[in-house]
Amino acid sequence: MDPSFSPPLHGQRHQFVIDFVNKNKPKKVADLGCGECTLLKRLKFHRVIELLVGVDIDGRKIKKNMHALAPISTDYLQPSFDQLRVELYQGSVTQRDARLRGFDLVASIELIEHLSLADVEPFSEVVFGYMAPVAVIISTPNSEFNPLFPGLTGFRHSDHKFEWTRAEFRSWALKVCLDYGYEVELTGVGRAPPHLQEAVGFCSQIGVFHRLGGRDSINHLCCDDGEGMFSYTLLYSINYPSLRDNNILRRVLVNEVLYSAEKLKQRWMERRMDERNEALPLSHAEGEGGWEVCIAVRNTDMEEESAACGEELKHPREPRQSGVAENRGGQCEEVFCINSTNEESCTSHRCVSVPLSVLWSFSPKISTLGGSLANLRHLLTDDPLIRLNQDRSAVLLSLPEQDQEEDDRDGYDLEDSGFAEDSRCSVSAEQEEDWEPDT
Ligand code: SAM
């Protein structure tokens, strides 16, 4: 019916709602007469919205389209802190349902003209009196525009029960405002040629209603109760993955910690390989963006420890406990250590220990998700994929067997190094007591 509009008229109507959402940032949005869910499918990308609800009397239409409102793979792979819940109901807008109360925005696009004139009054009462959202957007055909459609006789659609002139729409809108405490701005989309614009108005006329008193006002004009009244049938509901869900936060954080720790471990191993080849005593590994990693290789004799650090190494320092490697000479903090354990229960002989404080500095994602170093430790504790050292200040990663053999050949035997406690792959209270700090 609107071949001459570009973009198509239905797209312009939906864009009008989206522009309103972008400007006013409503958190709870409902689309009454959502039909094929076309508007909802666009609105779900506007993550300022936390609850998105569609209602239509035609349940088959909803069932046919509802799966397009499911999260896509990116929503699972890269969840954000935004929250979104989508609910779709089969029901009539002439009936009350308590789940539709308290919304910030209710849109009803090209619906009202499908109601019988007798149902317009109940519709008004349900939407403005009972649901009483902060804002309402209603669009409906403007019959004064119809002569511009070549060959059109009667209404634009066979299911339309009426089509209002601008004056009729205004009259209904003003009465609604008086009855339920709203103010309205009348506008539209779909322009006529310039010389006809004043005479015929917009193709789709739109009323934007704002509740008087705004968000904080209470609608005293309505209603006897209605609380707990559920007349709609829930056909679909889904919560989008959000980092505010602790399980999802933990999953993403653990993945990032494992990924970053492996990356650091690889970097350290490459450097160590170079050292072996070049017999260098000391290492610097330069990371992306100028981030420098301080590498300390612990040998049997603490006095022989070799360490270096980059100027940019600025990670929050963990309170040190006895047995944990000390910052030597006030210059450099231990970043990695290679250790051994003689405990039978140890699943791996040697581990690379990556302090949480290093991971914190290395990955902005870890510091953002962790919130604080203490919380990071808390979130990682007891996760089946993460091995922490005894005082839970570092993540332990197994060394590949080949490297362990090379370490053995090279005489890396750290049992007496004073760092053993810090890096045991598995721990128990007895083991902790067995350990004697170097003096
Ligand atoms: N709003 C959608 C859009 O802009 O694409 C669809 C508009 S379609 C022309 C009108 C929709 O209103 C239909 O999906 C129809 O099933 C629905 N509808 C008609 N009467 C209804 C009622 N009493 N309650 C809820 N939905 C109704």
Side-chain angles (χ1 to χ4, degrees):
M1 181 49 62
D2 50 33
S4 54
F5 289 105
S6 175
L9 193 58
H10 70 271
Q12 291 190 41
R13 290 189 291 258
H14 292 173
Q15 189 58 47
F16 186 93
V17 178
I18 287 163
D19 290 344
F20 183 94
V21 166
N22 286 335
K23 189 170 168 212
N24 295 278
K25 312 213 178 317
K27 286 194 166 80
K28 295 171 78 177
V29 176
D31 181 15
L32 305 183
C34 59
E36 265 100 39
C37 305
T38 320
L39 176 59
L40 296 174
K41 286 178 212 165
R42 292 182 67 184
L43 284 173
K44 80 174 187 140
F45 291 105
H46 294 261
R47 298 298 291 270
V48 61
I49 298 172
E50 293 178 2
L51 177 60
L52 189 55
V53 170
V55 179
D56 203 286
I57 201 165
D58 187 342
R60 277 173 316 166
K61 264 192 206 170
I62 291 183
K63 284 181 185 163
K64 215 172 146 191
N65 292 281
M66 61 192 189
H67 295 294
L69 289 166
I72 55 177
S73 49
T74 320
D75 294 313
Y76 289 105
L77 291 172
Q78 292 177 336
S80 67
F81 279 99
D82 300 330
Q83 285 174 304
L84 174 62
R85 178 173 170 78
V86 176
E87 294 174 359
L88 299 176
Y89 294 96
Q90 190 258 317
S92 173
V93 292
T94 56
Q95 298 197 320
R96 298 173 174 188
D97 188 293
R99 290 166 292 193
L100 269 289
R101 298 190 87 175
F103 276 65
D104 299 305
L105 171 64
V106 165
S108 176
I109 305 302
E110 307 294 282
L111 160 66
I112 194 171
E113 67 276 6
H114 291 266
L115 304 176
S116 68
L117 275 170
D119 274 343
V120 170
E121 183 61 39
F123 167 80
S124 309
E125 192 277 332
V126 167
V127 174
F128 294 92
Y130 181 75
M131 294 180 186
V134 177
V136 183
I137 297 176
I138 305 272
S139 91
T140 189
N142 164 21
S143 63
E144 291 171 80
F145 195 97
N146 286 356
L148 299 191
F149 285 113
L152 175 66
T153 53
F155 296 143
R156 294 183 196 178
H157 191 278
S158 56
D159 190 51
H160 287 182
K161 308 299 187 304
F162 59 87
E163 286 176 358
W164 280 334
T165 62
R166 283 174 289 175
E168 286 167 326
F169 185 47
R170 171 186 294 273
S171 155
W172 169 79
L174 292 177
K175 181 167 186 323
V176 159
C177 289
L178 272 178
D179 287 352
Y180 302 105
Y182 281 78
E183 59 189 3
V184 68
E185 178 198 337
L186 297 168
T187 177
V189 293
R191 287 186 186 279
H195 65 286
L196 291 172
Q197 273 173 17
E198 207 173 309
V200 301
F202 290 103
C203 186
S204 292
Q205 46 189 342
I206 296 177
V208 182
F209 299 78
H210 290 276
R211 199 170 70 204
L212 294 176
R215 202 172 288 270
D216 301 326
S217 69
I218 300 164
N219 193 339
H220 296 290
L221 298 160
C222 187
C223 293
D224 47 11
D225 63 291
E227 226 30 88
M229 181 184 297
F230 296 162
S231 60
Y232 299 169
T233 305
L234 180 66
L235 295 181
Y236 183 76
S237 69
I238 186 109
N239 286 324
Y240 274 57
S242 165
L243 291 170
R244 290 193 215 184
D245 175 332
N246 235 12
N247 289 329
I248 291 171
L249 176 74
R250 192 187 296 254
R251 175 174 59 77
V252 174
L253 186 65
V254 163
N255 282 344
E256 183 66 16
V257 163
L258 288 173
Y259 172 76
S260 299
E262 276 296 335
K263 213 166 155 183
L264 288 164
K265 180 182 106 179
Q266 290 304 328
R267 198 173 288 177
W268 173 76
M269 284 170 57
E270 282 163 22
R271 281 284 150 186
R272 200 173 57 138
M273 188 83 77
D274 289 347
E275 286 172 13
R276 279 200 173 109
N277 293 339
E278 298 165 25
L280 290 174
L282 208 56
S283 300
H284 264 87
E286 193 159 339
E288 291 138 15
W291 198 93
E292 264 184 280
V293 178
C294 176
I295 294 177
V297 180
R298 302 292 170 184
N299 217 323
T300 48
D301 182 353
M302 272 188 75
E303 298 310 315
E304 286 178 19
E305 73 179 62
S306 56
C309 62
E311 284 177 14
E312 293 173 56
L313 182 63
K314 292 183 201 128
H315 50 260
R317 194 159 292 178
E318 293 266 76
R320 295 289 191 183
Q321 293 171 8
S322 88
V324 174
E326 288 291 339
N327 182 16
R328 296 230 141 202
Q331 287 182 338
C332 178
E333 198 160 345
E334 179 188 71
V335 176
F336 296 105
C337 52
I338 179 167
N339 312 282
S340 70
T341 175
N342 55 1
E343 303 302 334
E344 282 181 8
S345 56
C346 184
T347 50
S348 162
H349 295 298
R350 296 186 195 281
C351 299
V352 173
S353 160
V354 185
L356 297 186
S357 56
V358 170
L359 288 163
W360 180 273
S361 295
F362 178 70
S363 162
K365 193 167 174 183
I366 290 176
S367 51
T368 305
L369 296 178
S372 70
L373 214 44
N375 196 45
L376 174 65
R377 183 185 296 115
H378 170 73
L379 287 165
L380 297 179
T381 301
D382 296 335
D383 189 282
L385 295 175
I386 296 280
R387 276 192 306 167
L388 293 178
N389 65 346
Q390 199 150 16
D391 71 353
R392 300 186 298 139
S393 66
V395 174
L396 299 177
L397 299 175
S398 299
L399 262 183
E401 262 175 36
Q402 185 195 345
D403 289 77
Q404 296 186 21
E405 285 163 13
E406 282 175 24
D407 283 344
D408 289 339
R409 270 204 315 277
D410 293 354
Y412 277 82
D413 183 352
L414 308 180
E415 278 172 35
D416 303 322
S417 70
F419 298 97
E421 185 219 29
D422 190 28
S423 54
R424 279 175 188 160
C425 299
S426 69
V427 291
S428 70
E430 289 98 355
Q431 290 163 19
E432 198 168 347
E433 280 166 21
D434 284 347
W435 181 77
E436 290 285 334
D438 243 30
T439 47

